[in-house]
Amino acid sequence: MTTTHRIVDLGETQPNRRRGGDLRAMLTPTEVGATSGFMGLAIVEPGDRIGEHYHPYSEEFVYVVAGELEVDLDGETFPIRTDQGLMIPPYVRHRFRNVGSAEARMVFHLGPLAPRPELGHVDTEETPQARDAAQPTGAVS
């Protein structure tokens, strides 16, 4: 059996701002052939947030590399800071907010994979970014 190794640079990834923040999926089935989950980095500017959602199939593991965040878990708020980690079970609604004065960076890993990518996240609130993405080009809100 031949093993192929692939190092993925953050600069190779595309920003996903649909839920707020800048979510970068890095080590994914598409990019590296992962079969049990995927990993990435969330970059959240001061005052920004990642909108509330849950994962019906996956546990989510997060580790704050830099910054000051608050996380809402099923409506209860907790601080989460640099060098702290958290495991979020399936179906737990969660949202992250940058409450500090500097950019926050958080590594995330989800596993196992949902049967299809579109089933992996269920949004429970609309973010301005998602609303803007749904607007036709040239539309006025």
Side-chain angles (χ1 to χ4, degrees):
M1 179 175 152
T2 303
T3 302
T4 302
H5 304 283
R6 170 138 157 59
I7 296 172
V8 178
D9 188 270
L10 184 65
E12 296 175 51
T13 64
Q14 295 298 311
N16 176 344
R17 293 187 170 90
R18 191 170 75 86
R19 286 183 184 85
D22 177 356
L23 304 177
R24 304 288 184 107
M26 295 182 68
L27 306 177
T28 67
T30 303
E31 290 298 319
V32 298
T35 60
S36 64
F38 69 95
M39 191 201 84
L41 179 71
I43 304 167
V44 188
E45 296 299 327
D48 198 3
R49 68 185 166 110
I50 298 169
E52 186 183 80
H53 62 282
Y54 67 89
H55 310 282
Y57 294 93
S58 307
E59 297 174 326
E60 182 170 8
F61 300 86
V62 299
Y63 177 79
V64 179
V65 177
E68 299 176 41
L69 296 165
E70 283 183 346
V71 59
D72 297 331
L73 300 170
D74 282 340
E76 189 173 353
T77 302
F78 301 91
I80 184 167
R81 305 290 189 249
T82 300
D83 292 335
Q84 292 184 325
L86 170 68
M87 191 276 289
I88 304 167
Y91 291 100
V92 171
R93 292 176 293 112
H94 53 284
R95 147 191 328 108
F96 294 93
R97 284 183 304 283
N98 183 337
V99 295
S101 59
E103 174 185 273
R105 288 183 170 230
M106 179 178 68
V107 174
F108 61 87
H109 176 273
L110 283 91
L113 294 169
R116 295 191 317 272
E118 66 274 12
L119 299 177
H121 290 80
V122 177
D123 293 316
T124 53
E125 71 179 357
E126 185 177 59
T127 61
Q129 295 87 338
R131 187 176 55 248
D132 292 346
Q135 298 260 343
T137 304
V140 177
S141 52

